[in-house]
Amino acid sequence: MKRKIIIVITILCLLAVTYGYLQLPDYHIMNSMSFSTQDTRDTQLKVIVYKCWEIHDMIQEIEAEHNRINGIPTTLEINLYSPTYFLPNSSEPFKTVMIRYNKKE
């Protein structure tokens, strides 16, 4: 009897953890910094990635969302961090993507 109760509780805990993981977003933009001059606007994004599959598609989605909301900058640097290792002052990103846009005059 005691063994059955332990098995049921273990299964319920695993289901709760799985449900909690599935409720997480794919990513969360933690910080956005823009540096502007008269001719340029450089932007850096710090992004926490919760689900690390299809990173290339996720980067394109982050880029499209940023450009839709803020307009197209001269350069866009996207720094991707793992949630377990993200420390605001000392952590290094696991991937950095630099996107340069050509201004058509």
Side-chain angles (χ1 to χ4, degrees), residues 18-29:
T18 303
Y19 178 76
Y21 178 75
L22 292 175
Q23 295 302 312
L24 287 173
D26 291 343
Y27 62 90
H28 176 72
I29 299 175

Side-chain angles (χ1 to χ4, degrees), residues 61-77:
E61 183 179 331
I62 293 167
E63 175 190 3
E65 179 182 353
H66 174 272
N67 292 345
R68 180 181 58 81
I69 295 171
N70 299 312
I72 298 175
T74 307
T75 61
L76 178 62
E77 180 180 341

Side-chain angles (χ1 to χ4, degrees), residues 44-55:
Q44 293 178 341
L45 297 177
K46 288 185 179 180
V47 180
I48 296 178
V49 178
Y50 294 106
K51 299 174 184 173
C52 293
W53 52 81
E54 299 178 1
I55 292 289

Side-chain angles (χ1 to χ4, degrees), residues 15-103:
L15 287 174
V17 167
T18 303
Y19 178 76
Y21 178 75
L22 292 175
Q23 295 302 312
L24 287 173
D26 291 343
Y27 62 90
H28 176 72
I29 299 175
M30 279 297 291
N31 191 355
S32 173
M33 293 187 299
S34 286
F35 307 97
S36 298
T37 64
Q38 192 172 22
D39 298 330
T40 64
R41 191 175 90 225
D42 302 327
T43 303
Q44 293 178 341
L45 297 177
K46 288 185 179 180
V47 180
I48 296 178
V49 178
Y50 294 106
K51 299 174 184 173
C52 293
W53 52 81
E54 299 178 1
I55 292 289
H56 182 69
D57 294 338
M58 187 180 303
I59 290 169
Q60 289 179 340
E61 183 179 331
I62 293 167
E63 175 190 3
E65 179 182 353
H66 174 272
N67 292 345
R68 180 181 58 81
I69 295 171
N70 299 312
I72 298 175
T74 307
T75 61
L76 178 62
E77 180 180 341
I78 302 173
N79 297 309
L80 302 177
Y81 293 88
S82 175
T84 56
Y85 297 109
F86 181 73
L87 300 172
N89 297 324
S90 63
S91 180
E92 295 293 322
F94 71 85
K95 184 169 184 150
T96 299
V97 178
M98 178 68 80
I99 302 168
R100 299 184 192 283
Y101 298 97
N102 294 329
K103 279 193 158 187

